[in-house]
Amino acid sequence: MKKIRILFCRYTLDGHDRGLHTVMRKCRDDGMEVIYIHFTSAEQITQTAIQEAVDVIGITASMGHHFLIAEELLGQLGEKNYEIPVIMGGVIPTVDVPRLLEMGIKSVFGPASAPAEASAFISKFCEKRDQPTA
């Protein structure tokens, strides 16, 4: 079975990455290949995702800019016809989650989420996607 490759991203000026590091460690422990970048633009995330041929993009957002990042990244991916699931985590108000999901974010993991939740979601999402259709 192909190893899941996930790109985790943190905005360069966002210093809140402790939770992200625990999620990355859990994903590695669960057999995934983790790539980690600091970014300043959605274009950087898109280029890295394409170059690294990742299966999932995970973004942490703790500075209140989650809508902007989601909109720009999903737009960039769409322009390049690159279909890849994007998940988000960090300090994102629960009232914002429905809108992020409507925009196309596949899942949001807030401060109370356990690293195992994100890892399990990624595994199940990739497993479903890779199953042959009848």
Side-chain angles (χ1 to χ4, degrees):
M1 183 173 167
K2 179 183 153 216
K3 196 175 214 184
I4 297 170
R5 292 172 57 87
I6 182 163
L7 172 64
F8 283 108
C9 313
R10 176 180 67 89
Y11 184 68
T12 300
L13 299 177
D14 187 346
H16 300 89
D17 62 352
R18 184 174 180 182
L20 178 64
H21 283 277
T22 61
V23 171
M24 289 190 304
R25 187 175 320 113
K26 177 61 176 157
C27 288
R28 265 193 224 111
D29 290 349
D30 288 347
M32 297 178 208
E33 188 172 343
V34 171
I35 298 135
Y36 177 51
I37 65 166
H38 294 179
F39 71 93
T40 56
S41 71
E43 180 65 30
Q44 287 178 303
I45 299 170
T46 303
Q47 287 177 352
T48 303
I50 292 170
Q51 288 171 352
E52 295 289 340
V54 298
D55 298 298
V56 177
I57 296 172
I59 301 172
T60 186
S62 300
M63 294 175 49
H65 61 309
H66 43 278
F67 289 128
L68 178 63
I69 292 171
E71 182 178 8
E72 289 182 358
L73 178 59
L74 294 170
Q76 286 280 328
L77 294 170
E79 285 176 19
K80 298 197 182 306
N81 292 320
Y82 195 65
E83 290 188 35
I84 184 166
V86 178
I87 61 173
M88 294 187 94
V91 184
I92 298 172
T94 53
V95 298
D96 292 347
V97 172
R99 182 169 163 209
L100 288 167
L101 297 175
E102 288 172 12
M103 293 172 72
I105 299 299
K106 299 301 179 196
S107 191
V108 178
F109 301 92
S113 301
E117 291 176 61
S119 181
F121 178 85
I122 294 164
S123 293
K124 284 188 186 237
F125 189 92
C126 290
E127 182 181 302
K128 284 181 187 177
R129 183 198 60 201
D130 294 340
Q131 287 181 348
T133 54

